[in-house]
């Protein structure tokens, strides 16, 4: 008897999402969320986590205008007492100024995914010791930040592997012109928030991209230091 077998082939797709990016809703950035989407689509990216500083107003506003073939994960970058922390998939503002440990707990309680960005950055990285304190509660750290120097990204990637963590990538752009310089690669068949977060939780994502031009990074550093002084030597 002849038997005919039917084989269904599932074709995966390498999605690219900028999972660290700022709009005009951050007080140190320019460009609307819609302009960021346009810039990212031109670069061939399929989504972003809009991570404005300590606010989700931009995320809430842009949800009305997201193209069907593009994903926006509501997110924010929280200023903890120990440095910055990204919170993916949150629909409420998380209190700033708390310890990184308590902030991680609050993100998880809110149904979000905590991610450590630019680990070694002078004014806003939580550094290795604080990472050790939360490593069992997180799935990934940002291994490629478009605004960081290459050596810092390489150092962070080594830490991710040492701590058995996955990786993400994001431009950390504060200007639509540089949106998408760095991104997170996700091997999936489904461009949905739950799917992307599931891949992050399973430590199957990684960060890639390009380092932004030196002139832009220099200007960003100068502005950050100036604002730091204007705030009375307080981090954003």
């Amino acid at each position: 008897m002849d038997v005919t077998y039917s084989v269904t082939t599932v074709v995966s797709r390498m999605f690219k999402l900028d999972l660290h990016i700022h709009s005009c809703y951050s007080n140190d950035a320019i460009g609307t969320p819609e302009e960021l989407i346009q810039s990212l689509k031109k670069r061939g990216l399929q989504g972003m986590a809009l991570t404005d500083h300590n606010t989700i107003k931009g995320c809430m506003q842009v949800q009305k205008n997201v193209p069907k073939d593009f994903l926006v994960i509501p997110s924010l970058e929280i200023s903890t007492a120990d440095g910055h922390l990204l919170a993916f998939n949150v629909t409420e503002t998380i209190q700033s100024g708390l310890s990184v440990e308590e902030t991680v707990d609050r993100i998880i309680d809110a149904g979000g995914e905590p991610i450590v960005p630019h680990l070694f950055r002078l004014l806003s990285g939580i550094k290795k010791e604080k990472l050790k304190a939360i490593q069992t509660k997180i799935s990934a750290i940002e291994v490629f930040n478009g605004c960081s120097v290459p050596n810092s990204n390489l150092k962070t990637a080594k830490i991710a592997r040492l701590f058995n963590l996955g990786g993400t990538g994001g431009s950390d752009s504060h200007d639509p012109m540089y949106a998408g310089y760095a991104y997170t690669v996700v091997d999936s068949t489904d461009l949905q928030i739950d799917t992307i977060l599931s891949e992050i939780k399973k430590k199957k994502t990684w960060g890639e991209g390009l380092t932004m031009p030196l002139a832009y990074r220099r200007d960003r550093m100068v502005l950050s230091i100036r604002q730091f002084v204007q705030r009375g030597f307080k981090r954003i």
Side-chain angles (χ1 to χ4, degrees), residues 20-33 36 49-59 75-79 84 86 172-175 220 223 227 231 236:
H20 187 173
I21 194 167
H22 298 271
S23 76
C24 58
Y25 287 87
S26 288
N27 60 9
D28 58 349
I30 61 173
T32 65
L36 293 175
L50 183 56
T51 55
D52 284 316
H53 291 291
N54 303 307
T55 181
I56 58 168
K57 290 181 180 178
C59 296
S75 308
L76 72 161
E77 184 169 13
I78 305 165
S79 300
H84 291 177
L86 300 179
D172 198 3
S173 173
H174 290 62
D175 183 329
R220 282 288 316 145
L223 177 61
Q227 292 179 328
R231 288 192 299 268
I236 191 170

Side-chain angles (χ1 to χ4, degrees), residues 16 18 22 65 76 86 92 98 112 116 123 141 152 159 193 198:
K16 296 179 181 179
D18 190 334
H22 298 271
N65 302 303
L76 72 161
L86 300 179
E92 59 187 58
L98 304 175
V116 176
L123 295 178
I141 63 176
S152 179
I159 292 293
I193 292 177
S198 176

Side-chain angles (χ1 to χ4, degrees), residues 37 47 53 61 94 127 144 147 160-161 199 207 210-211 220 232:
I37 291 175
H53 291 291
Q61 181 270 326
I94 307 294
K127 313 302 187 298
F144 200 108
C147 245
R161 295 187 178 98
E199 292 299 297
L210 300 171
T211 301
R220 282 288 316 145

